[in-house]
Amino acid sequence: MEGECRAPQARSSGLPAGGAGGESPGGDAPLSGSSGSSALLQAEVLDLDEDEDDLEVFSKDASLMDMNSFSPMMPTSPLSMINQVKFEDEPDLKDLFITVDEPESHVTTIETFITYRIITKTSRGEFDSSEFEVRRRYQDFLWLKERLEEAHPTLIIPPLPEKFIVKGMVERFNDDFIETRRKALHKFLNRIADHPTLTFNEDFKVFLTAQAWELSSHKKQGPGLLSRMGQTVRAVALSMRGVKSRPEEFMEMNNFIEIFSQKINLIDKISQRIYKEEREYFDEMKEYGPIHILWSASEEDLADTLKGVASCIDKCCKATEKRMSGLSEALLPVVHEYVLYSEMLMGVMKRRDQIQAELDSKVEALTSKKADTDLLTEEIGKLEDKVECANNALKADWERWKQNMQNDIKSAFTDMAEENIHYYEQCLATWESFLTSQTDLHLEEGSEDKL
Amino acid sequence: MEQAPPDPERRLQPAPLEPLGHPDAGVESVVGEEAEGARDEGPGDGTMTENNFWLKKIEISVSEAEKRTGRNAMNMQETYTAYLIETRSVEHIDGQSVLTDSLWRRYSEFELLRNYLLVYYPHIVVPPLPEKRAEFVWHKLSADNMDPDFVERRRIGLENFLLRVASHPILCRDKIFYLFLTQEGNWKETVNETGFQLKADSRLKALNATFRVKNPDKRFTELKHYSDELQSVISHLLRVRARVADRLYGVYKVHGNYGRVFSEWSAIEKEMGDGLQSAGHHMDVYASSIDDILEDEEHYADQLKEYLFYAEALRAVCRKHELMQYDLEMAAQDLASKKQQCEELATGTVRTFSLKGMTTKLFGQETPEQREARIKVLEEQINEGEQQLKSKNQEGREFVKNAWADIERFKEQKNHDLKEALISYAVMQISMCKKGIQVWTNAKECFSKM
């Protein structure tokens, strides 16, 4: 079951209209073969010239805006900006803005859980309104991810934050945990929004816009539990067969994924450890400064110097705190997301392999003439298409993913380095100013007692 | 009073408690000599060029440490460290120094020297020895006395001790100290022959005096409080510093792991590979930079430790004062009671209860002759007592004057040294920050090129 993309895609040559969030010039699923970057851009332009609907939709939106209780203040400028930008072939367009915030605790007789508020602002025609506000819980996110995986088995779906944190989390609703999760969920949805194909997924739209009861009824419409189980059984059976021959490029990809996964996990551990050490250093430093103050109370001549040292230590302490928070905000979440991504990637490889295995098994059946050859040949034909689609989808998405990964890692580590530089610069300034104050005094005193 | 430089003809007795007046008095005669800088190997040596004529004539250094095995008093094999003490005398005006003496001493001999000085110079704040066992260590440092880093730091500490003694206007003239530097064999026997151990005040006596003294000089009471506070705050500071050092070590070293992993990761990356690899190298540099940083900090800690131990020396002076004061008070009390007894006998009134009074009642009054005899004895005792009290008083006053002079000298030394130490700590921090900035700037460049 391929994800059916909505109107814009169907209308045009199947490419996403407006270049919504498509960062990579790479081509797009589910179209086989064609999409080169220039083709994509060209199509966008063609799209708009041919089609009046888009413009109409926008104007429809404009009138709807007033009546819609969901959008108190949809700024018109993004709309017109988007209009303009479309003609200017801007690749980094966003017409879907999502925020995740306001975690709230809900208590029922059966359970306690947290919901997050999700605000969506959009200028897309297929959305009934330009602003939506809904509440979702983790389970809902999990559902969305599973649906996306089903719809696009060989696309790299963004990872969800873990269900539980294994170590030391007694309370599920610890503030830090909730905040970390909220940020990760925000990232998750935005990554989907930025993905050239996933952004148009129907379930995604429902997730963003439907009211609670609407969502539950929509969930029930999907393939039933039994059929899902059936798929899983088949998948396991296939994976047990093993992959006969993975094409070369996918061997390379698999190799990369394995090593990358190892390394990113190590980096995750190292980074967490650094945070822990910095925290413990900070805790000790907090005690260090005040001792000098205590000492200064029993001294006369030394009092100023001691107080000066105490003040420097305290300032460095604050700088350490800032460094720590920088680490936990910039580096740790990024590295952790890629740990989850690496697990995701292994899943994608598996699914690709399964699709190929399906084909392989039918081919084998054909050669051993076990069943009706005509039927088999037809099935094989379909499966070959399926395999080709899957492979191309993965290839394209792989390039996009690698590019993003490089950018994200580069930027995360550059930020970390910057934090450290800033930390040391602050401490340096503190100690240097202390030193000058002391040597100035020294010179004054020195001139007094020259015998 | 001796004014000349170290005089081998000096009497073999230990220097008496002579009223010395101003500490610098004896030094003026030698100011004409060219001031020779002390070998600057120990911490806080900057001040030593002033106020000492030893150093104008000689240089002292503890230049080596060596592991030795030998037999101890119980004829058991033991391993100990011996330190080489070299004394150079500055003969010529051009500052050339000639090695005059060189001998080996072990830590216990230093202790013996110091104990001797404590007994014979109770009014002096005697410089402390470096610690016997490693304390306030953070995890990387070994607490083992045989550990080479510990031995090295102790070597520096012992040298510092000798330099402090040699630069002290009074202590530097001591014969036993001179012999410590010059006479290897038989020195221990010589020290013991002075019988200083016998002269030492018993701890019990001192404790007793501390509790019972009624009118100690207020300054000493304050000084005692100060030394308690100083000891407490410096120990606390050293403890926390050690923990901070431990944590800092952890932060730096964990970064080293990045180096290895980046390097392995770079193998599968085409564009990012170089950046990762070189960034990893900088992480290694960062991680290894902490070793030198913390070694420097150990020297700072040693400077603080010296004053931690000085607190005990201060207390020793206070204790001596309390003892002398108590002694004085007891003598005065004793005299007063004798005077009263005498008076009673003379006037025939028995106002105070006494054994004599009781026995008189029981066994009959004594004869006038007997009474006369007793009065005479008492009067003699009173005379003696008054003499003693006078001299005790004078001793006490001298002690207070001299001790306080040394305490003032010590205070100045302490303020100067500790201020320098704190400033050097700031300098260390600055250097650490600069290194950090450099490493991370390099790393950032590598990351941004990925």
Side-chain angles (χ1 to χ4, degrees), chain A residues 256 259-260 263-264 266-267 270-271 273-274 277-278 280-281 284-285 287-288 291-292 294-295 298-299 301-302 305-306 309 313 323 331 402-403 405-406 409-410 413-414 416-418 420-421 424-425 427-428 431-432 434-435 438 441-442 445 451, chain B residues 50 226 229-230 233-234 236-237 240-241 243-244 247-248 250-252 254-255 257-258 260-262 264-265 268-272 283 286 300 304 414-415 418-419 422-423 425-427 429-430 432-434 436-437 440-441 443-444 447-450:
Chain A
F256 182 97
I259 296 181
F260 174 79
K263 301 312 162 193
I264 199 71
L266 283 173
I267 290 181
I270 295 170
S271 310
R273 181 65 190 278
I274 289 178
E277 294 286 341
E278 280 185 10
E280 291 180 347
Y281 173 68
E284 296 295 350
M285 279 291 266
E287 227 191 291
Y288 195 34
I291 300 176
H292 294 77
L294 188 65
W295 187 358
S298 46
E299 296 287 343
D301 283 2
L302 282 178
T305 311
L306 285 167
V309 171
I313 292 176
R323 173 169 72 161
L331 186 70
K402 276 231 319 213
Q403 191 60 45
M405 184 270 281
Q406 261 170 255
I409 295 287
K410 168 173 155 174
F413 276 103
T414 309
M416 174 180 88
E418 182 59 49
N420 276 290
I421 293 172
Y424 281 113
E425 280 176 347
C427 293
L428 180 67
W431 286 108
E432 275 184 339
F434 166 76
L435 198 65
Q438 289 301 304
L441 289 172
H442 222 235
E445 287 166 13
L451 294 165
Chain B
E50 310 175 77
Y226 171 75
E229 277 168 21
L230 188 70
V233 86
I234 294 185
H236 191 193
L237 199 147
V240 177
R241 191 212 71 89
R243 292 206 297 260
V244 170
R247 294 286 148 229
L248 193 62
V251 172
Y252 272 75
V254 181
H255 279 87
N257 289 310
Y258 275 143
R260 184 179 49 92
V261 179
F262 281 172
E264 290 164 4
W265 184 1
I268 53 170
E269 293 287 346
K270 291 190 191 85
E271 291 133 39
M272 280 212 304
M283 292 295 98
Y286 181 67
Y300 167 71
L304 294 183
K414 169 205 71 149
N415 286 338
L418 287 176
K419 190 165 187 177
L422 289 165
I423 288 176
Y425 183 73
V427 171
Q429 300 306 303
I430 288 173
M432 177 173 89
C433 289
K434 284 189 175 156
I437 290 173
W440 282 104
T441 308
K444 182 179 168 192
F447 286 132
S448 58
K449 288 201 183 120
M450 289 201 309

Side-chain angles (χ1 to χ4, degrees), chain A residues 394-410:
Chain A
L394 177 54
K395 265 198 291 198
D397 216 21
W398 174 247
E399 288 309 316
R400 181 177 169 271
W401 178 85
K402 276 231 319 213
Q403 191 60 45
N404 276 345
M405 184 270 281
Q406 261 170 255
N407 291 338
D408 290 344
I409 295 287
K410 168 173 155 174

